[in-house]
Amino acid sequence: MSNAGIGLFFLFGLLAVLSALGTISMHSPIRAAMSLLLHIVSLSGLFLLLHAHVLAALQVLVYAGAVVVLFVFVIMMIGPASPEPPVTRGMLVKTVSVAVMLLLTALLAFSLMPVQKAAIALGNCTDAEGPECDQFGGVLAFSKSLYAGGVVPFELISVLLTVAIIGAIAVARGRTAAESEALARKLKAAEQARLAQEARERALAAEVSAHGGH
Amino acid sequence: MDIELGYYLALSALIFGLGAIGFLVRRNVLVQLMSIELMLNSVNLMLVAFNRFLPDNHAGQLFAFFVIAVAAAEAAVGLAIVISMFRLKKTVHSDRADILRH
Amino acid sequence: MYQKALLGIVLFPLIGAIANGVFGRKAGRNVVHAVAVLSVACSFALALYAFGSLLHLRYGQGEEAASITYTAYEWFSLSLNHRTLSIPVRFVMDSLSGVMTLVVTGIGLLIHIYSTGYMSEEPSYARFFAYLNLFTASMLILILGSSLPVMFVGWEGVGVCSYLLIGFWYENPNYAAAGRKAFVANRIGDFGVILGMFLLATAANSLEFTDINELAHVRPTQFTSALALGPQGAPFWVIPSISLATAATLFLFLGCTGKSAQLPLYVWLPDAMAGPTPVSALIHAATMVTSGIYLVCRLSPVFALAPATMAVMAIIGAVTALMAASVGLVQNDIKKILAYSTVSQLGFMFAAVGCGAFAAGFMHVYTHAFFKACLFLGAGSVMHAVGAHGDADIRTLGGLRKYMPLTNVTFLVSCLAIAGVPLFSGFFSKDEILVGVLSSAGYFSFAPWLAPTVFGMLVLGATMTAFYMFRLYFLTFSGEFRGGPVHETHAPAAGAHGDHGDHEDERHDHDAAHDHDHGHAHHEPHESPPSMTIPLIVLGVGAVFAGYVWIGIVHFEPWVKWLEPSLGSIHAEHGHATPYIAMAFGLLAAVVGIGLAFQFYYKGSEVPAKLATQFGGLHRLLMDKWRVDELYDATVLAGSRGLARLCAAFDKYVVDGILTHVSSQAVASLSFLFTRFQTGLVHAYGAVMAVGLFFVAFHFVVPHADPAVVGDPTGLSVELAANQGLGYEYRWDFDADGRFDTEWSNDSKAEHAFSDADIVRFAVVFEGAGYGARPRTLVVAPKQEIKVSSGALTRIMTRGELSLDELGESWQRGEDAAAPLIKADEQGLLIKPRGARVRKAGAVQPADAEVRVSRGEHVSIGEARLSVSGYVKPRVQVRNAFGMERTESVGVVVPKVPPRITAEIAAVQGSK
């Protein structure tokens, strides 16, 4: 790998780590979202380094362009966050879990670091070959793999997305005014029925005791 | 010096750990969801890295493609739930979401 | 061919019982009694046929101990004393059971015929006959059974049937209670029979009568040796020393007292008169109650070996005879008098067999069956005539000879028989009993007072028997009918005939049917229908002539000779004058008894009334039947009631308390603990997941080898295998010297032939003595000692030592032998036998020599066996894809390959 490559790796890597740290530690959610955006972009850069051109583009398009935007929408809708009360509850749980996760991360990282596998040289497409070039990670090669080998998961993904849309709508819709009224009426009717039942039971009990408990 | 597979894997592990810690420590549901996205991204990175170093086919990248799609769907539904919870509890503090306890 | 007849004898009544029981109600009376009577008739016919065959075998073919055997099938088998004992269902008819079978089927047939008349108005007709047939079948199983278990089936069967039949009119709670009383008393006896059975089984290793009796004849010491009670055979300090025969026979006798209504378990028989009269005749006169005597005669060789038990039997029989006769003097209900008479006559029989006169006792069984059945059936006839139901007070009867001549004659004949008037059947049997008692003086050498005392009591009892039987006869059949107003006929006191101590004056026992007064005898008494009188006539004839069938020129030679192969004997001797003394006393008893009765009741006299008032206390005691029932109620029954209350309280407070409170408390606390986990907070759940994830990751990150031996390590080479995993690489070190013998490879299996140089320790394979002891392997390092100690086995095993108990029974050379010393060194084991019996290669080693056991050799200490093998500890190092390494080892016991095999292998390999 060229020096530029190495340098870019460290740049993007550092950026990714710092922005991840930012995401988890920033107090304001909007700042955390921005940090997430930076992280996604740096990851996209890493994908480019790894010859995953399509994926890098998709990463920016979908993640940065849709998911983070969605996050921002929701944060805006929720409004300025009420200040979180100082967290005293569950400190033990937090400390233990953080310690365990740190340990695990360190274990994994130090185990995985010595994996030695050199990158095989993959040439880039020249301009002369044009769009017919079968570049690893390029559109042609990638789409060949996707539509030839993975067409069934592809279709299933579309089903999944449909399901997600329906689910999201169903959950987040809330009630219209008419529906709220109907619900309120139903609740009131149920409450009245329960009160009537209790009154009947009390009357019956009184009758039984009046007759000397047969 | 070459960037070998191990570097990418270590980086991925590090980001995963950060995401997990964020999920466990933060109490804001939105930030928790973002931490989940971090973890998914780290896995993506690992998949693509493996594919680069074993370039016989595009399996890793395909897998990462699907992971992105699923992550998007999951973020959508998760945020819908957050909105519902906000409507109910008027807060996005996860400690308040303990109705199941009672 | 005639063997199958035995099966038929048992099966016909059984099938009749089932048929009547299931279909009887719908089939109608005629069908029911036809089936019942026919089945018993077939049984009787087959019994005659089988008996005829037996006679032919015995006298025609000259087989001395002839018997007919039929084996139906194998019932089950036991494992006893390391042998399997098979218990087949087998029926045997020999001389003893042949006679008994004829009696049961013959008299049973007569009573069945009688019942068709007596029970003609009974609504539950079919049920009655079903029970009656079932009883007959059970009794036949009892008699014909060839082994104790089969006999016990019949024993229990008759007990059940007596319960069913006594409580036949169960709607009356008193009758039902009487049935229960019979069953419970019988059950207590059954417990004795079972224990006796077990003891006999351990001594004789068989439960067949033929085996037990033969063993008693051939090897009596098997039975007469002292029973080992307590640890290590030390006799239990309360019972100094008791022989097995005595113990077993005492237990069996307990069963007999239950079944045959002796002291202390006789209390059910008088109450059993609550059942219909044919039932009383069949069960309580002729058959069931005599099964106790039958058992004693069956096992008479064993009983003859136990003089203590025989003494007990004789005394109890005599006391019972006397006691029951004394109660019978003052009773006023016909059936009660007859019941006490039965108890008394059974006492005679037990006194006879207790004094070793088995044949005489059995003869009395035989004659008693005839006359007592006749008496009971006659009583039934009387009750039928005057319209009484269930009881008949003799004070309201009288003069019946005019109205029922047939019944009168048969009743008189039976009374003469039971009183022992010469030339009637009872005379012969009673006389022979008295002779037997007098002859037993030599047998009871340890208690010379026994024989004369028993004799005296029996003579007294005979006198009382004659007296009350004729009181009954005269009050019932002679004089004028007193069916209208009741005359106050006072029952006399016992006179001066012996006071038997005094019993507590507790509250009066109120006998249910005792003072029942039947004021209504509006219709004139009439003779019974032929279905009832014909059996009476047959039985009456039997009562007269039964004795003759068996006598010869001198007393009973044919009878005794006929039974001799089946009975044991006590080799009694009697003087020349003995038979005449006995006859004289017997005659005296009969004459005095009948004379007094004649004087008081035929002639009519005021003496009974005066005696009653003069000896008022004694009179009341006798009327209350010695208040035995009250005694039992106050002691045994009160005790069991108290125990029941205690158990109920325990159940309510302790058991329920634990179950409800403790268990619910436990669940509540546990659930409280678990609810703390359900916080409802997602991040807490995530934290727990993280912890779990950590452990999973540990397993993946750190490699695990777990080497183990594959297959059998006794071959030439041992195959070892380690766990497989992602990217695992293995390296083996077989000789545990620290250097790895193989290179890194992906192969998880390795094979290696261990040589002597690889051995690090010695493995001692120890097979202890005793059943089910599995071989143990102990690993010893050089200079280590294996301790042999005594104590709790499990503790010793966990400490890796050997226990003295595992060495077997005979590991010691002498008394106070020291345990052997076992040490290990570089070449193997070194054993110093000290006090133990150590054998190597068959030869016993001297006590102070050092026995060397090398690898491949074995040695025995006592009954245990030690063999020495090699012990190797190969190691494996495993490395996973992350580069983490881990070393684990496994211990393998490697036996030595015999040199012969090694040489063969070398030869084969060399030739290749």
Side-chain angles (χ1 to χ4, degrees):
Chain A
M1 229 188 206
S2 60
N3 285 335
I6 298 172
L8 276 175
F9 168 77
F10 276 110
L11 173 67
F12 284 132
L14 202 63
L15 215 52
V17 173
L18 286 175
S19 54
L21 267 168
T23 309
I24 66 174
S25 57
M26 300 266 191
H27 263 281
S28 156
I30 196 73
R31 289 197 193 180
M34 290 302 114
S35 192
L36 183 68
L37 183 63
L38 181 57
H39 174 80
I40 284 171
V41 168
S42 60
L43 230 54
S44 177
L46 281 170
F47 285 170
L48 277 173
L49 278 173
L50 288 168
H51 274 272
H53 308 300
V54 178
L55 219 53
L58 276 174
Q59 172 95 338
V60 173
L61 268 175
V62 172
Y63 252 122
V67 175
V68 176
V69 170
L70 194 57
F71 267 105
V72 171
F73 275 165
V74 173
I75 292 170
M76 289 303 162
M77 191 149 51
I78 284 177
S82 42
E84 278 180 23
V87 187
T88 47
R89 223 177 112 189
M91 277 306 282
L92 178 67
V93 169
K94 272 208 278 195
T95 318
V96 165
S97 45
V98 168
V100 166
M101 265 344 274
L102 273 176
L103 200 60
L104 188 62
T105 312
L107 194 65
L108 272 174
F110 280 111
S111 308
L112 291 169
M113 194 63 165
V115 175
Q116 292 177 331
K117 194 140 178 70
I120 303 166
L122 295 166
N124 283 325
C125 278
T126 59
D127 281 334
E129 284 169 302
E132 301 304 318
C133 171
D134 215 0
Q135 164 75 45
F136 175 80
V139 179
L140 187 58
F142 183 79
S143 36
K144 262 197 215 164
S145 295
L146 178 62
Y147 294 114
V151 69
V152 173
F154 186 77
E155 300 300 336
L156 285 176
I157 284 286
S158 55
V159 174
L160 175 74
L161 288 173
T162 314
V163 169
I165 292 171
I166 295 172
I169 294 174
V171 169
R173 192 168 62 109
R175 290 189 201 93
T176 57
E179 278 173 351
S180 316
E181 249 174 76
L183 185 65
R185 255 183 279 129
K186 201 161 70 167
L187 281 173
K188 203 151 64 156
E191 183 67 29
Q192 274 174 342
R194 197 175 58 83
L195 283 170
Q197 175 72 8
E198 271 181 19
R200 268 203 301 276
E201 277 174 5
R202 269 199 298 273
L204 200 62
E207 234 185 81
V208 167
S209 57
H211 280 253
H214 282 289
Chain B
M1 117 116 163
D2 248 355
I3 302 292
E4 284 163 4
L5 180 57
Y7 288 75
Y8 283 100
L9 299 184
L11 178 63
S12 162
L14 194 56
I15 296 177
F16 183 87
L18 286 173
I21 289 172
F23 177 77
L24 293 171
V25 172
R26 292 298 297 267
R27 290 288 169 266
N28 191 325
V29 185
L30 288 161
V31 176
Q32 283 177 338
L33 278 172
M34 284 186 230
S35 315
I36 293 174
E37 298 299 330
L38 276 182
M39 287 193 270
L40 284 164
N41 269 317
S42 79
V43 171
N44 270 356
L45 178 63
M46 175 177 272
L47 282 165
V48 174
F50 266 113
N51 201 198
R52 169 69 177 88
F53 288 85
L54 295 161
D56 298 335
N57 50 19
H58 282 89
Q61 292 186 15
L62 281 183
F63 205 139
F65 173 79
F66 293 126
V67 171
I68 292 178
V70 172
E74 169 242 342
V77 178
L79 288 168
I81 292 174
V82 168
I83 292 182
S84 265
M85 183 180 142
F86 182 71
R87 284 219 191 94
L88 189 65
K89 290 273 186 190
K90 299 286 177 282
T91 177
V92 285
H93 193 62
S94 72
D95 278 348
R96 298 275 170 276
D98 57 0
I99 305 178
L100 271 181
R101 183 190 193 163
H102 306 288
Chain C
M1 188 52 216
Y2 42 76
Q3 282 102 339
K4 284 235 178 63
L6 292 184
L7 183 66
I9 295 177
V10 171
L11 270 187
F12 272 110
L14 197 59
I15 295 175
I18 296 175
N20 273 333
V22 175
F23 303 113
R25 199 125 41 110
K26 292 199 208 113
R29 283 169 194 258
N30 290 325
V31 175
V32 162
H33 70 232
V35 167
V37 172
L38 267 175
S39 57
V40 180
C42 288
S43 203
F44 181 58
L46 282 173
L48 280 173
Y49 173 60
F51 195 73
S53 317
L54 196 65
L55 279 174
H56 175 71
L57 275 178
R58 175 89 178 259
Y59 294 118
Q61 291 180 357
E63 262 179 59
E64 188 54 36
S67 70
I68 306 177
T69 311
Y70 178 80
T71 309
Y73 60 92
E74 161 114 5
W75 185 11
F76 64 94
S77 66
L78 300 170
S79 160
L80 178 71
N81 286 344
H82 312 301
R83 264 172 280 193
T84 40
L85 186 64
S86 104
I87 315 263
V89 173
R90 182 182 293 154
F91 301 117
V92 165
M93 179 186 275
D94 63 356
S95 46
L96 184 68
S97 52
V99 175
M100 195 80 181
T101 309
L102 282 180
V103 168
V104 168
T105 48
I107 296 193
L109 178 63
L110 289 172
I111 292 183
H112 274 78
I113 296 174
Y114 181 91
S115 308
T116 59
Y118 189 78
M119 303 290 281
S120 53
E121 284 143 39
E122 172 62 44
S124 311
Y125 200 65
R127 185 162 64 99
F128 182 77
F129 277 101
Y131 288 164
L132 216 58
N133 268 2
L134 186 63
F135 173 85
T136 313
S138 307
M139 190 70 201
L140 287 166
I141 294 177
L142 193 158
I143 297 170
L144 290 172
S146 77
S147 59
L148 274 163
V150 177
M151 189 213 78
F152 194 63
V153 169
W155 186 277
E156 294 276 9
V158 295
V160 167
C161 289
S162 85
Y163 160 74
L164 291 170
L165 284 166
I166 293 174
F168 184 70
W169 292 309
Y170 54 83
E171 295 90 1
N172 184 328
N174 288 327
Y175 296 169
R180 275 202 304 273
K181 189 168 177 181
F183 194 66
V184 171
N186 265 306
R187 208 78 188 95
I188 298 176
D190 293 344
F191 154 77
V193 175
I194 291 178
L195 287 180
M197 212 195 299
F198 290 163
L199 281 173
L200 284 177
T202 57
N205 273 325
S206 167
L207 283 165
E208 299 276 323
F209 287 123
T210 42
D211 292 341
I212 298 177
N213 287 337
E214 190 164 320
L215 198 67
H217 275 132
V218 165
R219 231 180 344 150
T221 51
Q222 189 83 345
F223 292 101
T224 53
S225 55
L227 203 54
L229 303 164
Q232 300 294 358
F236 200 52
W237 61 272
V238 170
I239 306 170
S241 173
I242 186 169
S243 80
L244 182 130
T246 312
T249 48
L250 273 178
F251 280 125
L252 288 172
F253 181 58
L254 180 67
C256 296
T257 59
K259 200 57 115 212
S260 298
Q262 297 296 293
L263 226 59
L265 293 173
Y266 72 94
V267 290
W268 60 273
L269 197 84
D271 285 7
M273 297 302 118
T277 311
V279 167
S280 307
L282 182 61
I283 296 184
H284 309 125
T287 47
M288 184 177 109
V289 294
T290 54
S291 43
I293 311 280
Y294 177 74
L295 178 64
V296 174
C297 288
R298 244 292 161 257
L299 286 171
S300 44
V302 180
F303 275 87
L305 291 173
T309 310
M310 300 281 270
V312 168
M313 279 204 296
I315 294 178
I316 288 189
V319 169
T320 310
L322 200 52
M323 211 178 97
S326 64
V327 176
L329 291 175
V330 301
Q331 296 298 315
N332 285 320
D333 175 43
I334 294 187
K335 284 177 73 170
K336 281 280 187 310
I337 297 179
L338 292 177
Y340 283 105
S341 155
T342 305
V343 176
S344 178
Q345 294 302 306
L346 287 168
F348 272 89
M349 293 180 220
F350 271 104
V353 297
C355 290
F358 299 110
F362 193 66
M363 172 81 178
H364 202 57
V365 168
Y366 168 73
T367 56
H368 175 266
F370 284 102
F371 56 70
K372 194 45 78 62
C374 185
L375 284 169
F376 266 109
L377 294 187
S381 177
V382 166
M383 292 187 339
H384 182 89
V386 299
H389 279 289
D391 47 31
D393 196 320
I394 56 177
R395 296 173 290 189
T396 67
L397 300 172
L400 288 177
R401 75 183 180 293
K402 294 199 280 266
Y403 303 105
M404 20 187 7
L406 275 173
T407 311
N408 177 38
V409 168
T410 53
F411 206 88
L412 177 62
V413 157
S414 305
C415 283
L416 286 169
I418 197 174
V421 170
L423 302 183
F424 288 87
S425 57
F427 165 73
F428 295 112
S429 55
K430 208 171 274 197
D431 187 50
E432 200 60 16
I433 291 178
L434 292 174
V435 171
V437 168
L438 283 177
S439 317
S440 68
Y443 182 67
F444 291 121
S445 51
F446 52 89
W449 48 268
L450 190 74
T453 316
V454 168
F455 182 78
M457 289 206 270
L458 288 184
V459 168
L460 203 56
T463 315
M464 288 196 214
T465 303
F467 178 78
Y468 67 69
M469 285 313 296
F470 272 91
R471 168 177 173 256
L472 172 62
Y473 175 74
F474 288 133
L475 281 178
T476 308
F477 287 97
S478 58
E480 293 303 319
F481 186 56
R482 294 183 290 275
V486 177
H487 277 235
E488 285 296 293
T489 325
H490 287 289
H497 295 308
D499 288 308
H500 291 274
D502 214 51
H503 291 255
E504 316 85 272
D505 253 33
E506 304 277 20
R507 45 187 187 110
H508 264 278
D509 175 61
H510 209 64
D511 191 20
H514 189 60
D515 289 292
H516 215 105
D517 206 2
H518 283 282
H520 54 278
H522 303 298
H523 52 275
E524 193 168 281
H526 54 84
E527 184 61 88
S528 307
S531 61
M532 287 165 64
T533 51
I534 292 181
L536 277 176
I537 296 172
V538 175
L539 286 171
V541 167
V544 177
F545 293 109
Y548 288 116
V549 183
W550 299 103
I551 64 164
I553 310 294
V554 197
H555 278 144
F556 290 121
E557 284 312 315
W559 176 264
V560 169
K561 271 264 177 329
W562 170 253
L563 288 178
E564 199 177 332
S566 317
L567 297 175
S569 76
I570 61 165
H571 309 293
E573 302 267 318
H574 58 82
H576 190 63
T578 314
Y580 299 104
I581 298 177
M583 208 188 307
F585 273 101
L587 270 173
L588 186 69
V591 164
V592 169
I594 298 179
L596 273 177
F598 185 77
Q599 189 62 28
F600 291 161
Y601 297 106
Y602 189 69
K603 292 280 197 52
S605 150
E606 289 301 309
V607 176
K610 279 206 280 237
L611 281 175
T613 42
Q614 207 166 16
F615 293 97
L618 186 59
H619 184 237
R620 263 197 305 280
L621 192 63
L622 290 179
M623 290 266 276
D624 290 338
K625 307 163 294 188
W626 295 95
R627 302 207 189 108
V628 175
D629 281 324
E630 288 85 346
L631 180 69
Y632 283 167
D633 191 56
T635 52
V636 175
L637 296 181
S640 52
R641 273 195 290 269
L643 186 66
R645 269 196 290 270
L646 183 68
C647 290
F650 181 77
D651 181 57
K652 183 166 162 201
Y653 293 116
V654 177
V655 175
D656 279 355
I658 290 179
L659 284 178
T660 54
H661 294 133
V662 169
S663 64
S664 65
Q665 202 57 40
V667 171
S669 346
L670 214 63
S671 68
F672 180 71
L673 186 66
F674 283 130
T675 48
R676 303 291 278 167
F677 277 109
Q678 308 297 325
T679 49
L681 299 167
V682 175
H683 56 83
Y685 299 157
V688 174
M689 278 199 314
V691 174
L693 187 64
F694 175 74
F695 286 110
V696 172
F698 174 76
H699 186 79
F700 278 105
V701 166
V702 177
H704 300 277
D706 298 328
V709 176
V710 173
D712 192 11
T714 55
L716 279 177
S717 63
V718 182
E719 201 178 316
L720 298 160
N723 271 353
Q724 292 186 326
L726 188 64
Y728 277 17
E729 284 171 328
Y730 309 88
R731 204 155 65 143
W732 294 85
D733 170 22
F734 294 109
D735 43 15
D737 57 359
R739 279 177 303 110
F740 284 100
D741 303 318
T742 58
E743 291 301 318
W744 287 111
S745 77
N746 285 328
D747 191 2
S748 68
K749 288 210 197 359
E751 216 175 300
H752 182 75
F754 289 97
S755 63
D756 280 342
D758 297 333
I759 294 185
V760 291
R761 303 254 163 103
F762 286 107
V764 179
V765 179
F766 179 72
E767 286 169 42
Y771 292 119
R774 287 204 303 255
R776 289 213 314 270
T777 308
L778 301 153
V779 176
V780 280
K783 306 260 192 338
Q784 193 185 341
E785 184 187 323
I786 303 181
K787 281 210 260 293
V788 186
S789 46
S790 58
L793 194 59
T794 43
R795 222 176 318 128
I796 285 180
M797 279 167 99
T798 50
R799 282 207 297 258
E801 295 169 1
L802 298 177
S803 154
L804 282 175
D805 292 325
E806 289 179 301
L807 294 179
E809 299 274 322
S810 55
W811 63 271
Q812 293 162 304
R813 282 177 198 272
E815 300 291 320
D816 296 332
L821 192 68
I822 307 179
K823 248 174 107 117
D825 64 8
E826 273 86 41
Q827 276 94 35
L829 278 188
L830 212 56
I831 302 181
K832 250 218 253 290
R834 295 207 290 204
R837 220 184 293 266
V838 174
R839 240 179 312 208
K840 183 175 171 186
V844 181
Q845 305 295 314
D848 46 2
E850 285 193 344
V851 185
R852 146 101 31 220
V853 191
S854 326
R855 178 177 170 216
E857 293 176 351
H858 61 87
V859 81
S860 355
I861 304 182
E863 283 170 32
R865 196 181 126 112
L866 280 104
S867 44
V868 177
S869 309
Y871 182 78
V872 293
K873 223 167 154 115
R875 297 190 312 150
V876 64
Q877 190 178 45
V878 68
R879 182 167 67 184
N880 68 355
F882 303 131
M884 311 269 295
E885 290 173 6
R886 198 173 138 94
T887 312
E888 290 175 16
S889 66
V890 64
V892 181
V893 173
V894 180
K896 192 180 181 92
V897 178
R900 186 172 53 86
I901 302 215
T902 335
E904 278 177 13
I905 304 274
V908 167
Q909 281 175 344
S911 65
K912 271 215 278 251

